[in-house]
Coordinates of all heavy atoms in Angstrom, one line a residue:
N575 N -14.4 -5.5 1.9 CA -15.3 -6.5 2.6 C -16.7 -5.9 2.8 O -17.7 -6.6 2.7 CB -14.7 -7.0 3.9 CG -13.6 -8.0 3.6 OD1 -13.5 -8.6 2.5 ND2 -12.7 -8.2 4.6
T576 N -16.7 -4.6 3.1 CA -18.0 -4.0 3.3 C -18.8 -3.9 2.0 O -20.0 -4.1 1.9 CB -18.0 -2.6 4.0 OG1 -17.3 -1.7 3.1 CG2 -17.3 -2.6 5.3
Y577 N -18.1 -3.6 0.9 CA -18.7 -3.6 -0.4 C -19.2 -5.0 -0.8 O -20.3 -5.1 -1.3 CB -17.7 -3.1 -1.5 CG -17.4 -1.6 -1.4 CD1 -16.2 -1.2 -2.0 CD2 -18.2 -0.7 -0.8 CE1 -15.8 0.1 -1.9 CE2 -17.8 0.7 -0.7 CZ -16.6 1.1 -1.3 OH -16.2 2.4 -1.3
I578 N -18.4 -6.0 -0.5 CA -18.8 -7.4 -0.8 C -20.1 -7.7 -0.1 O -21.0 -8.3 -0.6 CB -17.6 -8.4 -0.5 CG1 -16.5 -8.1 -1.5 CG2 -18.1 -9.8 -0.6 CD1 -15.2 -8.8 -1.2
K579 N -20.1 -7.4 1.2 CA -21.3 -7.7 2.0 C -22.5 -7.0 1.4 O -23.6 -7.5 1.5 CB -21.1 -7.2 3.5 CG -20.5 -8.2 4.3 CD -20.5 -7.8 5.8 CE -19.5 -8.7 6.6 NZ -18.7 -7.9 7.5
S580 N -22.4 -5.9 0.8 CA -23.6 -5.2 0.3 C -23.8 -5.6 -1.2 O -24.5 -4.9 -1.9 CB -23.5 -3.7 0.4 OG -22.3 -3.2 0.0
G581 N -23.2 -6.7 -1.6 CA -23.5 -7.3 -2.9 C -22.5 -7.2 -4.1 O -22.8 -7.7 -5.1
D582 N -21.4 -6.4 -3.9 CA -20.5 -6.3 -5.0 C -19.7 -7.6 -5.2 O -19.5 -8.3 -4.3 CB -19.4 -5.2 -4.6 CG -19.7 -3.9 -5.3 OD1 -20.7 -3.8 -6.0 OD2 -18.9 -3.0 -5.0
S583 N -19.2 -7.8 -6.4 CA -18.4 -8.9 -6.7 C -17.0 -8.6 -6.0 O -16.7 -7.4 -5.9 CB -18.2 -9.1 -8.2 OG -17.4 -8.1 -8.7
P584 N -16.2 -9.6 -5.6 CA -14.9 -9.3 -5.0 C -14.0 -8.4 -5.9 O -13.4 -7.4 -5.4 CB -14.3 -10.6 -4.8 CG -15.5 -11.6 -4.7 CD -16.5 -11.0 -5.6
V585 N -14.0 -8.7 -7.2 CA -13.1 -7.9 -8.0 C -13.6 -6.4 -8.1 O -12.8 -5.5 -7.9 CB -13.0 -8.5 -9.5 CG1 -12.3 -7.5 -10.4 CG2 -12.3 -9.8 -9.4
N586 N -14.9 -6.2 -8.2 CA -15.4 -4.8 -8.2 C -15.1 -4.1 -6.9 O -14.7 -3.0 -6.8 CB -16.9 -4.8 -8.5 CG -17.1 -4.8 -10.0 OD1 -16.2 -4.7 -10.8 ND2 -18.4 -5.1 -10.3
A587 N -15.4 -4.9 -5.8 CA -15.2 -4.3 -4.4 C -13.8 -3.9 -4.2 O -13.6 -2.7 -3.7 CB -15.6 -5.4 -3.4
W588 N -12.8 -4.7 -4.6 CA -11.4 -4.3 -4.3 C -11.0 -3.2 -5.2 O -10.3 -2.3 -4.8 CB -10.5 -5.5 -4.6 CG -10.4 -6.5 -3.5 CD1 -11.3 -7.4 -3.1 CD2 -9.3 -6.5 -2.5 NE1 -10.8 -8.1 -2.0 CE2 -9.6 -7.6 -1.6 CE3 -8.1 -5.9 -2.4 CZ2 -8.8 -8.0 -0.6 CZ3 -7.3 -6.2 -1.3 CH2 -7.6 -7.3 -0.4
T589 N -11.5 -3.2 -6.5 CA -11.2 -2.1 -7.4 C -11.7 -0.7 -6.8 O -10.9 0.2 -6.7 CB -11.9 -2.3 -8.8 OG1 -11.4 -3.6 -9.2 CG2 -11.4 -1.3 -9.8
H590 N -13.0 -0.7 -6.4 CA -13.5 0.5 -5.9 C -12.8 1.0 -4.6 O -12.5 2.1 -4.4 CB -15.0 0.4 -5.7 CG -15.8 0.3 -7.0 ND1 -16.9 -0.5 -7.1 CD2 -15.5 0.8 -8.2 CE1 -17.3 -0.4 -8.4 NE2 -16.5 0.3 -9.1
A591 N -12.6 0.0 -3.8 CA -11.9 0.3 -2.5 C -10.5 0.9 -2.7 O -10.1 1.9 -2.1 CB -11.9 -0.9 -1.6
A592 N -9.8 0.3 -3.6 CA -8.4 0.7 -3.9 C -8.4 2.1 -4.5 O -7.7 3.0 -4.1 CB -7.7 -0.2 -4.8
L593 N -9.3 2.3 -5.5 CA -9.3 3.7 -6.1 C -9.7 4.7 -5.1 O -9.1 5.8 -5.1 CB -10.4 3.7 -7.3 CG -10.0 2.9 -8.5 CD1 -11.1 2.9 -9.6 CD2 -8.7 3.4 -9.1

Side-chain angles (χ1 to χ4, degrees):
N575 285 340
T576 66
Y577 289 156
I578 292 167
K579 269 191 199 133
S580 53
D582 258 3
S583 71
V585 169
N586 278 349
W588 278 78
T589 305
H590 292 145
L593 290 176

